[in-house]
Amino acid sequence: PPPPGPLPIRRLHESLINRIAAGEIIHRPASALKELLENSLDAGSTAIRVTVKDGGMKLLQIQDNGCGIRKADLPLLAERFTTSKLSTFSDLSKLTTYGFRGEALASISHVAHLSVVTKTKSDSCAWKATYSDGVLVPSKTGQTPDPKPCAGNDGTTLTIEDLFYNTPTRLSALRSSSEEYARILDVMTRYAVHNPSVSFVCKKAGSPSPELSTPSSSEITQTIRLLYGHSISKELLHITTSSDNGEDDDTSEDDPESWSAEAYFTNANYQAKKTVFLLFINHRLVESSRIKRSIESVYSGVLPKGASPFVYLSIKIDPRSVDVNVHPTKREVHFLNEEAITEKISDTIQHTLVGQSQSRVFEYQT
Ligand code: ADP
Ligand code: MG
C-alpha cells in the first residue's frame, strides 16, 4: 500500500550523487575515450596512442605527449569541478578548450579504477597516482597518499581499468567487446580526420599491429583516404564559406555573429548505403539532425534514391555565439543563426555538387 503521506526529503549521499553524475557523462568506453582524447588535445599533444582490452571494459589506456600535469595539481586531478581551463563565468563565452567543467576524470574515478603517470617538461621524473571516488588512493602503509616518482616520458598516460565495476546495470547494458571497440575506433577516426596534424594510434593490448594509425603533420584529404579509403577520397569536393558576404567591409573581426565553414564531401559518383557525417563545431565532435537533414536533402537531388554521401563539415563560430553547456556529454551545441548558417552551407554544397555533375555531363557530351 502507498504510504499515508509525503515521504521526508533527504540529502543524497555524496558518493551516490557522484555516481549518478558520472552516469550522465560516461555511458560506455567510447564516451570515456572521447573525454580523454579531448584532454590530450587540450594539452597540446601531437601524438596520441590508445590501447584497449576487451572493448575498453577491461582496459582503456591513452598516452599523449602533451604538457603534462604539475605534481602539485595531482591531488585535485580527479575531484569533481576542478579544472585548469575555466575560472569565471565569462570565460565560458571565450572557450578555446574542449574541457571546462572538470567532470570527466572525476566521473571516471567513480565508475572505474583510474591511474595516471605524468611528466611536465620541467619535471626531472614522472609521477604516478591512483584514484578512487575522486581522491588519491591512500597508500597501503597508511602514509599520506602522495604521488610516487617513476620513469616516464614528457606527457600523460591515463589508465582506466574495470569500467563500471561498481555499476552492474551499466555494465550489462554494454554490447559485445567487439562492438564497443568499433565505437572506440569510430570516435578516434573522427578526431583523427579533424586533427590531421596529430598522430593517432589505436590498438588492442597484445596485438602486434594497430587497427588505426595516422601520421602527424598530414592533411585532411590524406587522412580521409587513410581512414575511409580511396573510393571516398578520390571523389571528394571541397568548399569553404563564411558569414562574410563581402557587402559591408566594416564588419570588424570582432563581430560575434561571424562564422566560417569548411567541408569535404563526396560527389555524385560516390554512393554509400548510409550517410557518413562528421560534424565539428568549434572543433567539437557534435551531432545536429538539422544540419544533417539539410545536407541530405541537397544530395537527394543529385544521388539516386537510397544512395548516401560522405560529408565532413567543420564550422567555426565566434565562441560568444555558441552554447556548449547544453548537454552533459557536450554532444549537442546551440548557436546563434543556426538556420541561416545551415542554409548557406547547404547552398554552397549544392552549387558545387550541381556544377560538378554538369561539367561531367558536358565532358561526356563533347
Ligand atoms: P576538464 O577537461 O573539464 O578541465 P577533466 O576532468 O577532463 O576536466 O580534467 C581535469 C584537469 O586535468 C584538466 O583541466 C587538466 O588540467 C588536467 N588534465 C587531464 N588530462 C590531461 C592530459 N592528458 N594532459 C594534461 N593535463 C590533463
Ligand atoms: Mg576534460
Side-chain angles (χ1 to χ4, degrees), residues 7 24 29 68 74-75 142 151 170 173 193 228 292 300-301 335 355-357:
L7 293 169
E24 288 177 6
L74 285 174
R170 187 53 67 85
V193 168
Y228 287 97
K292 189 174 179 206
S300 68
F335 54 96
Q356 188 260 348
S357 56

Side-chain angles (χ1 to χ4, degrees), residues 170-227:
R170 187 53 67 85
L171 189 60
S172 60
L174 292 182
R175 305 291 182 78
S176 67
S177 56
S178 60
E179 164 131 15
E180 296 303 327
Y181 189 57
R183 288 173 188 252
I184 285 172
L185 285 176
D186 185 59
V187 170
M188 279 201 76
T189 301
R190 288 164 189 259
Y191 275 92
V193 168
H194 187 70
N195 296 276
S197 59
V198 178
S199 145
F200 289 81
V201 172
C202 184
K203 68 195 266 303
K204 291 182 181 164
S207 143
S209 57
E211 277 71 35
L212 178 152
S213 167
T214 64
S216 59
S217 58
S218 176
E219 300 207 336
I220 285 206
T221 42
Q222 246 180 302
T223 316
I224 292 176
R225 174 159 46 83
L226 198 60
L227 297 172

Side-chain angles (χ1 to χ4, degrees), residues 1 4 25 40 58 82 86 95 98 131 164 177 183 187-188 201 243-244 255 257 267 287 319 321 324-325:
I25 300 174
S40 294
K58 194 82 211 121
T82 59
L86 181 76
L95 270 185
Y98 290 107
Y131 299 86
F164 303 135
S177 56
R183 288 173 188 252
V187 170
M188 279 201 76
V201 172
S243 52
D244 179 26
D255 178 7
E257 298 192 18
N267 61 32
E287 280 162 29
S321 301
V324 290
N325 197 22

Side-chain angles (χ1 to χ4, degrees), residues 35 39 85 99 104:
E35 294 293 336
N39 282 343
K85 301 169 192 171

Side-chain angles (χ1 to χ4, degrees), residues 29-344:
S31 39
L33 179 70
K34 172 178 179 286
E35 294 293 336
L36 299 186
L37 283 178
E38 292 184 346
N39 282 343
S40 294
L41 291 167
D42 278 344
S45 309
T46 57
I48 298 175
R49 296 181 68 90
V50 172
T51 309
V52 178
K53 207 184 274 180
D54 198 8
M57 297 178 273
K58 194 82 211 121
L59 172 84
L60 190 57
Q61 185 174 66
I62 177 163
Q63 179 183 15
D64 70 40
N65 64 350
C67 63
I69 302 161
R70 301 174 330 141
K71 183 195 176 215
D73 290 333
L74 285 174
L76 278 184
L77 182 69
E79 203 167 298
R80 202 158 165 230
F81 306 131
T82 59
T83 179
S84 59
K85 301 169 192 171
L86 181 76
S87 53
T88 65
F89 186 72
S90 67
D91 285 351
L92 256 184
S93 61
K94 40 181 193 274
L95 270 185
T96 55
T97 54
Y98 290 107
F100 56 90
R101 282 189 296 232
E103 283 197 280
L105 295 182
S107 300
I108 291 168
S109 81
H110 284 281
V111 292
H113 299 120
L114 173 70
S115 64
V116 63
V117 173
T118 189
K119 180 179 172 307
T120 63
K121 274 211 167 59
S122 56
D123 281 336
S124 52
C125 67
W127 297 95
K128 180 177 180 11
T130 304
Y131 299 86
S132 178
D133 294 332
V135 295
L136 282 168
V137 173
S139 67
K140 288 189 188 82
T141 48
Q143 302 151 332
T144 44
D146 276 343
K148 306 240 172 329
C150 67
N153 299 323
D154 287 355
T156 303
T157 301
L158 274 151
T159 306
I160 301 176
E161 283 166 291
D162 306 316
L163 186 61
F164 303 135
Y165 74 95
N166 56 0
T167 42
T169 0
R170 187 53 67 85
L171 189 60
S172 60
L174 292 182
R175 305 291 182 78
S176 67
S177 56
S178 60
E179 164 131 15
E180 296 303 327
Y181 189 57
R183 288 173 188 252
I184 285 172
L185 285 176
D186 185 59
V187 170
M188 279 201 76
T189 301
R190 288 164 189 259
Y191 275 92
V193 168
H194 187 70
N195 296 276
S197 59
V198 178
S199 145
F200 289 81
V201 172
C202 184
K203 68 195 266 303
K204 291 182 181 164
S207 143
S209 57
E211 277 71 35
L212 178 152
S213 167
T214 64
S216 59
S217 58
S218 176
E219 300 207 336
I220 285 206
T221 42
Q222 246 180 302
T223 316
I224 292 176
R225 174 159 46 83
L226 198 60
L227 297 172
Y228 287 97
H230 189 57
S231 62
I232 286 183
S233 70
K234 74 178 180 2
E235 309 293 357
L236 283 181
L237 300 171
H238 176 231
I239 56 126
T240 59
T241 177
S242 67
S243 52
D244 179 26
N245 44 26
E247 274 160 25
D248 60 310
D249 277 352
D250 336 308
T251 25
S252 57
E253 295 255 297
D254 205 36
D255 178 7
E257 298 192 18
S258 70
W259 60 271
S260 67
E262 175 171 34
Y264 290 86
F265 49 100
T266 46
N267 61 32
N269 295 336
Y270 178 79
Q271 299 170 17
K273 285 206 188 72
K274 252 182 87 187
T275 305
V276 177
F277 183 42
L278 283 64
L279 174 63
F280 289 81
I281 295 179
N282 288 0
H283 306 293
R284 284 175 198 286
L285 176 60
V286 294
E287 280 162 29
S288 161
S289 46
R290 165 184 272 164
I291 301 179
K292 189 174 179 206
R293 259 186 276 121
S294 166
I295 293 178
E296 281 180 329
S297 80
V298 166
Y299 272 96
S300 68
V302 264
L303 290 181
K305 205 168 185 299
S308 302
F310 167 95
V311 179
Y312 160 84
L313 172 61
S314 169
I315 310 177
K316 287 173 200 151
I317 306 170
D318 189 300
R320 286 171 293 179
S321 301
V322 183
D323 188 356
V324 290
N325 197 22
V326 287
H327 193 277
T329 64
K330 307 169 191 144
R331 189 189 331 139
E332 277 173 47
V333 299
H334 290 175
F335 54 96
L336 220 60
N337 305 328
E338 199 170 329
E339 214 162 319
I341 295 176
T342 306
E343 198 180 306
K344 183 151 184 203

